[in-house]
Structures are given as C-alpha cells and as structure tokens.
Amino acid sequence: IDMPAQQEPVFYLQVVRVINRIANQNSDAIRSTMKEVNLLERRDQILVRCLRPPISKEGAFAIMQGFSFEWVAEKASFREAFGLGHLLHILHAFPDEPDLQIGVGCVLSTVFAPIEENRRVIDKIIKDPEVFSRLIQLNVPVPRASS
C-alpha cells in the first residue's frame, strides 16, 4: 500500500478502525464479502505501513493507544511484512518515552510472544538471548489498591 511517508498514522488508524467496525457489526455474509475483496488483507497492510519507520513519537503513541494487535498476532503476513521488527524498532527508537516502551513491551510479551512463531522471529531479530528472555517475560507491576 502506497501512503505518503510524511503522513502521520492517525488517519490510517481511523481507516483500520472503520474496517474493523464494519466487520464486527455485520453478518458473516458481509465479513465473507470483505474477505473476498481483500479488504481485511488491506487493513493489515495499512497497519504494517503505519508501523514502518520513519515514525514520530506522536504517531507511535497513536498506534499503541488506539490499536489492538490481537487480530494480527497469529498472521504470517504480519510477520512476513516485518511487523514485529517495526514494533521492536519503536521500542528502541524512543528511549526517553518509558510509557511508550512499556506499552510496546507489553504488547510484544502478552500478545505476540505466546505464539511460538512470533517468539522465533523476535529472537532472530534481537539476537541476544538475555534481552529476548527479559522481553518475552515482561511483567508490568499492577498497583494495588490501599486497604
């Protein structure tokens, strides 16, 4: 999918949300038609394009706050399009943004890492067993309510 490189992902994320809403709020027949015309594949391509560098801090935050990665986690097409590599790039590209890093780390560890093929791809990209192990076992402490 060709999109202007300078375009922030916010607009395209809205397109992805509209496609998801159409799929979620309609019948199986509509979803089948969406698959037949490759609309769901195009949605996935738009997401991967939004993740590609260069990406601004604002764009990265928009993706992490406004997107659910569960529906692409098991897709080979997401891995083949280097989607996991783009997420790792975001994790690395903004060292002064701990909230963004925690968000990306949590998505990688809780959504992608439970899938064996994703773990293999992440491990191959990182090439550091200790960093890989820490990333896929990332647990963010949940604050406890005071009694």
Side-chain angles (χ1 to χ4, degrees), residues 60 64 86-88 90-91 99-109 135 138:
M64 297 313 297
H86 296 321
L87 283 171
L88 287 165
I90 291 171
L91 182 69
D99 290 341
L100 182 59
Q101 290 184 320
I102 288 170
V104 174
C106 286
V107 165
L108 287 166
S109 67
L135 178 64
L138 179 66

Side-chain angles (χ1 to χ4, degrees), residues 91-140:
L91 182 69
H92 178 73
F94 301 101
D96 297 331
E97 297 297 336
D99 290 341
L100 182 59
Q101 290 184 320
I102 288 170
V104 174
C106 286
V107 165
L108 287 166
S109 67
T110 62
V111 176
F112 289 100
I115 300 163
E116 180 64 33
E117 186 57 32
N118 290 338
R119 284 195 304 276
R120 279 195 282 268
V121 170
I122 293 168
D123 188 32
K124 186 176 178 180
I125 294 168
I126 292 176
K127 298 178 184 175
D128 183 321
E130 184 177 342
V131 171
F132 171 75
S133 177
R134 288 180 184 221
L135 178 64
I136 65 167
Q137 296 175 6
L138 179 66
N139 289 312
V140 178

Side-chain angles (χ1 to χ4, degrees), residues 47-116:
L47 170 63
V48 170
R49 176 57 187 97
C50 288
L51 291 170
R52 270 194 241 156
I55 186 168
S56 68
K57 175 177 68 173
E58 293 76 17
F61 270 110
I63 290 168
M64 297 313 297
Q65 292 172 345
F67 193 74
S68 174
F69 288 91
E70 283 80 5
W71 51 268
V72 294
E74 294 189 28
K75 292 190 174 188
S77 60
F78 185 80
R79 288 187 295 274
E80 291 163 2
F82 205 61
L84 292 166
H86 296 321
L87 283 171
L88 287 165
H89 171 73
I90 291 171
L91 182 69
H92 178 73
F94 301 101
D96 297 331
E97 297 297 336
D99 290 341
L100 182 59
Q101 290 184 320
I102 288 170
V104 174
C106 286
V107 165
L108 287 166
S109 67
T110 62
V111 176
F112 289 100
I115 300 163
E116 180 64 33

